[in-house]
């Protein structure tokens, strides 16, 4: 049953976003290299297009992963609702749903910020003199977006506390139905999608590092410093998200294998035989007497300890810190010569927008 994560690189980090202390700054002795700037901007825009599935790039599309990770709560057979009475599993499922949604939201925010500054860099390379004028007029807005209140810094809690599970009212048939309702194959698929997204985020993290080094050697001045700091925040966010989703994926895969083992061994441990159960049957009609109920309850209590361990391993919060600048599609505008002739693009090149 086991599906191991494909990459362990995300394990190098175990906390929320922390800005790298070794981040590059523009070289003091450089002249602006517009060809180098355009190379960086073009690479970023192609990577974002690849992430969105529009073309092949260093970043593969993430929509399929996002669809799986964004609905981590859907790990049961829809035809059966027996799991709803399983308090421990329901609590875990609710927490997984929160984590999945927060991770996909955070990843989307980081990708949009990365895209915005890629567009800004591409536009700067197309007409540096005009870009310099825009930055001069709007430098306070750029500061606000990258280092001020315009930064989207949010921490989402993911846990409400463990509720416990009183199994004394469950009987053997009910417990068997509860266990059977869990789709471990779906759980393994979801855990694998988390592992894949963790790998994807570490790839994005590496690309941000590479482009920051390139940018430091091609552009100077405060706008360059602010663009580099924006990438620094995107880098910190992707690193933290990779750890959160990687941890979540490993936890789901581990628990899926545990639940599968308990499903397979239920009959032999509880000793139900070939009896066709009815929820209303009295204990004395069971093939092994009331002891079957007791064994089933003990079996579930034992499994609940693993469910609680999985809950404890999950992230307690999801944190992001990303600039919220917005730039129009510079490459599309460039094709119409809009960047070179000073059209309306430049008036909106640096604009701040709220992230809900």
């Amino acid at each position: 049953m086991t599906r191991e994560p494909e990459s362990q690189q995300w394990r190098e980090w175990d906390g929320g976003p922390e800005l790298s202390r070794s981040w590059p700054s523009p070289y003091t002795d450089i002249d602006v290299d517009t060809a180098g700037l355009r190379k960086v901007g073009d690479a970023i825009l192609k990577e974002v297009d690849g992430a969105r599935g529009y073309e092949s790039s260093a970043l593969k599309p993430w929509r399929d992963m996002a669809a799986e990770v964004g609905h981590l709560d859907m790990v049961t057979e829809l035809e059966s609702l027996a799991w709803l009475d399983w308090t421990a599993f329901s609590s875990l499922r609710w927490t997984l749903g929160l984590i999945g949604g927060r991770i996909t939201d955070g990843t989307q925010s980081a990708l949009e910020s990365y895209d915005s500054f890629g567009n800004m860099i591409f536009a700067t390379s197309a007409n540096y003199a005009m870009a310099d004028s825009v930055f001069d007029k709007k430098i306070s807005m750029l500061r606000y977006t990258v280092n001020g209140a315009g930064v989207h810094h949010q921490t989402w809690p993911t846990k409400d506390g463990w509720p416990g599970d009183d199994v004394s009212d469950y009987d053997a048939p009910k417990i068997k139905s509860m266990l059977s309702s869990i789709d471990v194959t779906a759980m393994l698929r979801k855990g694998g999608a988390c592992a894949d997204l963790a790998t994807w985020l570490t790839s994005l993290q590496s690309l941000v590092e590479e482009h920051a080094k390139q940018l430091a050697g091609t552009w100077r001045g405060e706008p360059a410093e602010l663009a580099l700091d924006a990438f620094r925040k995107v880098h910190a966010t992707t690193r933290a998200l990779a750890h959160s989703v990687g941890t979540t994926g490993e936890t789901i895969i581990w628990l899926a294998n545990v639940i599968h083992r308990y499903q397979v061994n239920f009959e032999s441990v509880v000793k139900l035989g070939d009896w066709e159960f009815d929820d209303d049957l009295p204990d004395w009609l069971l093939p092994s007497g009331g002891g079957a109920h007791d064994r089933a309850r003990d079996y579930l209590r034992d499994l609940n300890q693993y469910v609680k361990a999985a809950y404890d391993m999950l992230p307690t919060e999801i944190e992001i810190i990303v600039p919220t600048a917005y730039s129009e599609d510079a490459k599309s505008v460039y094709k119409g010569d809009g960047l070179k002739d000073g059209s309306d693009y430049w008036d909106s090149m640096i604009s701040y927008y709220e992230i809900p």
Side-chain angles (χ1 to χ4, degrees), residues 7-155:
S7 172
Q8 309 302 322
Q9 186 180 351
W10 55 264
R11 281 209 183 102
E12 296 175 6
W13 186 241
D14 62 357
E18 181 175 301
L19 303 184
S20 173
R21 298 179 181 178
S22 60
W23 207 245
S25 293
Y27 306 151
T28 56
D29 58 345
I30 64 169
D31 291 324
V32 176
D33 177 3
T34 54
L37 268 182
R38 184 169 181 180
K39 182 179 179 181
V40 173
D42 187 57
I44 292 172
L45 299 184
K46 284 181 178 177
E47 288 157 10
V48 174
D49 281 347
R52 293 169 175 162
Y54 300 145
E55 64 176 81
S56 177
S57 78
L59 280 181
K60 65 180 181 180
W62 80 297
R63 289 178 179 173
D64 290 344
M65 290 179 282
E68 293 281 7
V69 174
H71 296 86
L72 291 180
D73 57 328
M74 300 299 292
V75 294
T76 60
E77 290 279 10
L78 293 179
E79 293 79 7
S80 173
L81 298 179
W83 62 269
L84 286 170
D85 294 324
W86 186 357
T87 304
F89 189 83
S90 294
S91 180
L92 177 81
R93 182 178 180 271
W94 183 84
T95 298
L96 286 172
L98 272 184
I99 290 172
R102 299 312 190 191
I103 285 173
T104 52
D105 288 348
T107 301
Q108 181 64 36
S109 293
L111 192 62
E112 288 175 356
S113 184
Y114 188 54
D115 183 38
S116 292
F117 283 90
N119 274 294
M120 190 179 296
I121 290 166
F122 188 92
T124 301
S125 71
N127 190 329
Y128 186 80
M130 189 168 291
D132 207 34
S133 174
V134 172
F135 288 128
D136 185 57
K137 290 186 296 184
K138 297 190 175 184
I139 194 66
S140 60
M141 182 178 290
L142 191 57
R143 290 176 191 146
Y144 177 87
T145 299
V146 176
N147 283 324
V151 174
H152 182 47
H153 189 183
Q154 188 160 0
T155 302

Side-chain angles (χ1 to χ4, degrees), residues 9-10 59 62 65 103 106-108 110-111 194-208 234-235 237-246:
Q9 186 180 351
W10 55 264
L59 280 181
W62 80 297
M65 290 179 282
I103 285 173
T107 301
Q108 181 64 36
L111 192 62
C194 288
D196 291 342
L197 183 55
T199 300
W200 187 91
L201 283 162
T202 54
S203 296
L204 176 56
Q205 174 189 323
S206 297
L207 290 169
V208 175
V234 172
H235 177 268
T237 294
T238 56
R239 190 180 186 190
L241 288 171
H243 182 268
S244 293
V245 73

Side-chain angles (χ1 to χ4, degrees), residues 173-187:
K174 180 67 173 178
I175 292 171
K176 181 180 179 181
S177 179
M178 286 159 53
L179 286 176
S180 299
S181 71
I182 306 303
D183 185 352
V184 294
T185 301
M187 288 183 70

Side-chain angles (χ1 to χ4, degrees), residues 232-306:
R232 190 168 170 235
K233 290 179 171 66
V234 172
H235 177 268
T237 294
T238 56
R239 190 180 186 190
L241 288 171
H243 182 268
S244 293
V245 73
T247 301
T248 300
E250 276 201 341
T251 301
I252 293 173
I253 290 169
W254 172 77
L255 184 62
N257 283 285
V258 171
I259 291 176
H260 177 67
R261 186 171 74 247
Y262 273 73
Q263 289 173 331
V264 170
N265 295 333
F266 181 82
E267 292 278 1
S268 61
V269 172
V270 179
K271 299 182 176 62
L272 294 179
D274 297 326
W275 196 264
E276 290 293 330
F277 283 104
D278 186 300
D279 288 348
D280 296 326
L281 280 177
D283 287 355
W284 61 269
L285 279 179
L286 289 169
S288 300
H293 289 315
D294 292 335
R295 286 191 295 272
R297 285 189 279 264
D298 288 341
Y299 197 67
L300 185 60
R301 288 188 187 98
D302 189 47
L303 175 55
N304 276 347
Q305 294 181 33
Y306 289 99

